[in-house]
Amino acid sequence: MLTPLTIAVAVAAALLGLWCAVAALRDQPVKDWHYAGIAVVTLLTVVQLVVGVVMLAGGDRPDGDSTAVFVSYLVSVTACVPLVGLVALGERSRWGSATVAAGAFLLAILQLRLHDVWGGGVG
Amino acid sequence: MADGSGPATEDRGDHGSSPGSTPTGTRHGLSSGPGRLLVTLYAIFTVGAASRSLYQLSTRFDEAPLAYLLSAGAALVYAFITVALVRGGELARRFGLVACAVELAGVLVVGTWTVLDGAAFPDSTVWSTYGMGYLFLPLILPVTGLIWLRRPGVDDAGNEGVDDGGDTGDDDGGADPERTPRG
């Protein structure tokens, strides 16, 4: 699908992951600024979800028979970072930061898979 | 992830207290601190492996039944460990230990198998090549889980077998009449 957007989400997610990993290493919980970062990354993934749905609705399909896989990846991508953000709310320690970092890195990896699936590779 | 029926009253409003430090205030702490990261990863892997295997089993079962059944088995193990970590308690800790050992054995066996004889698995599973497609997390998770659930301090008490009533009692609502010395 839209490669520049995929790259943008992946880079933003990786940056968020690094940022929260640093917080975890410094023994700091997730703070308001981190949540601002989570919000930005989430917004990007929502845009990606909308773009993906619009493309599918417009008759564009991923290569091969992988539309279901593509849609499930798209939904996972959107849910990933908000979910770890919620988890971190209940864990006000360095481990909350580590959880957000893990979720953000996961999102970056999911972007690669999403790109593969759209290109016809089977997830 | 919420187990609903448990004694969830302590969960509200104890954000200020440091997790794990007060034995009576937290629910055995399997999912707090480092456990929070672990349980999140296990939950994500449960969802991922389960949806993946459901999709594969329902659409392409004939292509690689062994691989897809293995994926489903992995999903079950992940789900079991997630629930054990969320519930907490001595019993859950022990079952979690066993499940992590099973998981580790599965990763090692399937990983070795796929390295030696790739033709046995025409389609990959979560555990293929020691979970390389998933950044080796399928290999790292059970090891971390075993370390986290071993917890020597808890284990010493657990070996005695007498503290089962006190530690796992989900119904000790504050007062514990058996503990009070009589006479």
Side-chain angles (χ1 to χ4, degrees), chain A residues 78-98:
Chain A
T78 313
C80 184
V81 164
L83 186 125
V84 289
L86 279 177
V87 169
L89 273 181
E91 180 64 43
R92 308 297 295 160
S93 71
R94 70 189 310 173
W95 296 106
S97 308

Side-chain angles (χ1 to χ4, degrees), chain B residues 40-161:
Chain B
T40 308
L41 288 176
Y42 266 116
I44 290 171
F45 263 79
T46 304
V47 174
S51 50
R52 181 192 171 97
S53 68
L54 273 180
Y55 169 74
Q56 290 176 330
L57 286 175
S58 59
T59 59
R60 298 178 292 153
F61 179 68
D62 296 334
E63 286 179 30
L66 181 59
Y68 298 156
L69 284 177
L70 258 172
S71 287
L76 283 181
V77 174
Y78 287 134
F80 186 87
I81 297 173
T82 307
V83 172
L85 284 171
V86 170
R87 284 193 63 86
E90 178 62 17
L91 197 64
R93 190 184 69 82
R94 289 182 189 178
F95 275 119
L97 268 181
V98 174
C100 281
V102 169
E103 185 195 346
L104 183 58
V107 177
L108 291 178
V109 169
V110 174
T112 311
W113 196 350
T114 46
V115 167
L116 293 180
D117 179 17
F121 292 91
D123 201 350
S124 60
T125 75
V126 210
W127 289 346
S128 293
T129 335
Y130 306 108
M132 193 170 70
Y134 298 82
L135 291 184
F136 292 107
L137 269 178
L139 186 59
I140 299 168
L141 271 184
V143 174
T144 317
L146 283 173
I147 294 170
W148 172 243
L149 290 172
R150 220 185 77 229
R151 297 225 278 183
V154 184
D155 199 40
D156 285 352
N159 280 337
E160 309 264 299

Side-chain angles (χ1 to χ4, degrees), chain A residues 53-94:
Chain A
V53 169
V54 167
M55 287 175 86
L56 286 176
D60 236 343
R61 288 284 183 275
D63 293 341
D65 184 23
S66 55
T67 304
V69 179
F70 178 74
V71 170
S72 60
Y73 266 98
L74 211 51
V75 172
S76 313
V77 156
T78 313
C80 184
V81 164
L83 186 125
V84 289
L86 279 177
V87 169
L89 273 181
E91 180 64 43
R92 308 297 295 160
S93 71
R94 70 189 310 173

Side-chain angles (χ1 to χ4, degrees), chain A residues 3 6 8 30-31 44 53 58 63 66-67 71 79 81-82 90 106-107:
Chain A
T3 306
T6 309
V30 178
K31 294 177 181 157
L44 283 173
V53 169
D63 293 341
S66 55
T67 304
V71 170
V81 164
L106 188 80
L107 175 58

